[in-house]
Amino acid sequence: MGATLAAVQGQTDPPRRQTMRTFAGMAMALIVALAGSYAFSPRSVPPLAATRIPVDRMQLTSVVRTAAGLVAAGELGYILVSDDEGVTWKAAALTQDRQALITRLVFADDKVGVALGHEGWILRTADGGLNWTEVAFSESNGEPLMSAARLPSGDWIAVGAFGRTLRSIDDGNTWQEFTIGGQEDWHLNGIASSTDRQQWLIVGEAGSMLRSTDGGREWTQIPAFYNGSLYGATHAGGTNWVAWGMRGNVYHSTDGGSSWTASKVPAPVSLYGHALTADGALLLVGQGGLVLSSTDAGKSFSVVRAGGRESLTDLVTKNDGSWLFASDSGLQTWVPRAPASAGANGAS
């Protein structure tokens, strides 16, 4: 009996196993077919989270208002544009991504401007900052460029480290080196013009200052009155000028820049940028989140904002009256105690 059963099982098991293998194979094929059908079938997909540009954590050196809205620039060659007063930002289109620090944005009007950076990098825009074309870059002689301006003649000039000076005679499309009236190899940090654009100043390291009274055609050196770096200057109306720099050193001139007197400044911190309010006050920004204000053409300053570890380098006023700062800790918004309207920054 046992032998007979074993013989019967031996005769019947192979067909049964074969059948089971067939069913198993068909089931696997069906599973693969269903999986493939699902993979390629149309279905709703949850939207990806929007990519947020961390403007509150980036080093941003410059911010301006143009026809495109607010434009900011800084680390790794980023140029950012906001058309909703800084609520959201998008990256501008650049023909070359050099990942070099952009030091300053300068606009001749609300559409035409340049971005200056390390490695002698210059980008040009004609649409308010949405699109930028590289017009200069130097890998072998790439000192940082710090400031630029379009003169009344239509020519542009740019200045930077170690006394480097460039000129463009075709509205910023091409640039060539040139020499401004006997300057030395001091770093040149800022260019400023009077309201009528006939008087100009270039300021820099070791108290260096160059002045033009004919729209930038000829330049002369002003005798040194300060032995530290000057980072910027601005016209304060009439024959009044103000220049600022390291450790709270601010100077004012009442004779068109021929002579200079130290201003009264309440904090010994370096100052890097400025803006003019709608009511004529001069604002200076700098280390420690400091904002100073002057209502007497730069003769004296008071503290408007203090506190923080960041260095403020630029500011504009938003439409709601708040101030937008560029800093080494990103863009920051602050509401002044009293309504104020900061005009275009002094980079142009």
Side-chain angles (χ1 to χ4, degrees), residues 180-228:
I180 293 180
Q183 90 272 16
E184 301 181 40
D185 62 352
W186 301 119
H187 301 332
L188 300 176
N189 299 318
I191 306 175
S193 75
S194 60
T195 304
D196 63 6
R197 299 177 61 78
Q198 290 304 303
Q199 301 176 62
W200 291 79
L201 291 181
I202 297 175
V203 298
E205 188 182 18
S208 56
M209 180 178 290
L210 298 167
R211 182 175 65 149
S212 173
T213 58
D214 59 2
R217 289 187 292 272
E218 300 291 335
W219 297 82
T220 58
Q221 288 187 337
I222 298 296
F225 54 88
Y226 163 59
N227 193 32

Side-chain angles (χ1 to χ4, degrees), residues 159-178:
V159 300
F162 302 105
R164 191 176 190 197
T165 50
L166 302 174
R167 180 190 295 275
S168 171
I169 60 174
D170 56 5
D171 202 18
N173 286 286
T174 60
W175 295 79
Q176 299 80 35
E177 293 191 9
F178 83 117

Side-chain angles (χ1 to χ4, degrees), residues 33-329:
L34 290 173
S37 176
Y38 176 77
F40 291 100
S41 65
R43 60 190 184 276
S44 60
V45 179
L48 296 175
T51 300
R52 179 181 177 273
I53 299 175
V55 296
D56 55 345
R57 297 192 301 274
M58 303 170 63
Q59 180 185 4
L60 294 169
T61 58
S62 191
V63 58
V64 297
R65 184 181 294 280
T66 74
L70 297 173
V71 184
E75 69 173 69
L76 297 176
Y78 275 107
I79 302 179
L80 309 173
V81 184
S82 174
D83 60 5
D84 56 9
E85 288 297 291
V87 177
T88 60
W89 295 83
K90 64 180 180 181
L94 280 61
T95 58
Q96 283 287 347
D97 182 7
R98 300 290 187 178
Q99 296 191 343
L101 176 70
I102 292 177
T103 59
R104 188 167 299 187
L105 298 171
V106 181
F107 278 78
D109 52 42
D110 64 355
K111 289 187 177 181
V112 177
V114 296
L116 307 173
H118 285 215
E119 313 301 331
W121 198 22
I122 305 178
L123 297 153
R124 183 183 185 276
T125 182
D127 60 9
L130 296 172
N131 297 277
W132 297 81
T133 300
E134 180 181 289
V135 293
F137 185 77
S138 176
E139 295 181 355
S140 60
N141 187 26
E143 291 87 357
L145 295 172
M146 305 303 295
S147 189
R150 187 166 70 181
L151 303 173
S153 64
D155 293 355
W156 283 82
I157 58 173
V159 300
F162 302 105
R164 191 176 190 197
T165 50
L166 302 174
R167 180 190 295 275
S168 171
I169 60 174
D170 56 5
D171 202 18
N173 286 286
T174 60
W175 295 79
Q176 299 80 35
E177 293 191 9
F178 83 117
T179 300
I180 293 180
Q183 90 272 16
E184 301 181 40
D185 62 352
W186 301 119
H187 301 332
L188 300 176
N189 299 318
I191 306 175
S193 75
S194 60
T195 304
D196 63 6
R197 299 177 61 78
Q198 290 304 303
Q199 301 176 62
W200 291 79
L201 291 181
I202 297 175
V203 298
E205 188 182 18
S208 56
M209 180 178 290
L210 298 167
R211 182 175 65 149
S212 173
T213 58
D214 59 2
R217 289 187 292 272
E218 300 291 335
W219 297 82
T220 58
Q221 288 187 337
I222 298 296
F225 54 88
Y226 163 59
N227 193 32
S229 290
L230 294 171
Y231 295 132
T234 189
H235 183 231
T239 58
N240 298 305
W241 288 82
V242 183
W244 57 87
M246 296 178 63
R247 296 186 293 274
N249 284 283
V250 181
Y251 294 83
H252 64 276
S253 172
T254 60
D255 57 8
S258 295
S259 62
W260 294 81
T261 303
S263 302
K264 295 179 180 179
V265 179
V269 302
S270 296
L271 299 163
Y272 302 119
H274 85 286
L276 298 173
T277 67
D279 57 5
L282 169 63
L283 303 177
L284 299 181
V285 298
Q287 291 177 320
L290 187 71
V291 181
L292 302 178
S293 176
S294 174
T295 57
D296 58 5
K299 297 178 178 66
S300 62
F301 288 83
S302 60
V303 175
V304 175
R305 177 187 186 267
R309 292 179 295 178
E310 71 279 358
S311 290
L312 307 179
T313 53
D314 208 353
L315 77 156
V316 296
T317 292
K318 298 167 68 173
N319 289 338
D320 63 3
S322 61
W323 294 347
L324 181 66
F325 300 110
S327 80
D328 57 1
S329 297

Side-chain angles (χ1 to χ4, degrees), residues 5-20:
L5 180 58
V8 172
Q9 288 178 341
Q11 293 174 359
T12 59
D13 277 355
R16 184 182 300 166
R17 289 174 182 163
Q18 184 65 37
T19 301
M20 291 178 65

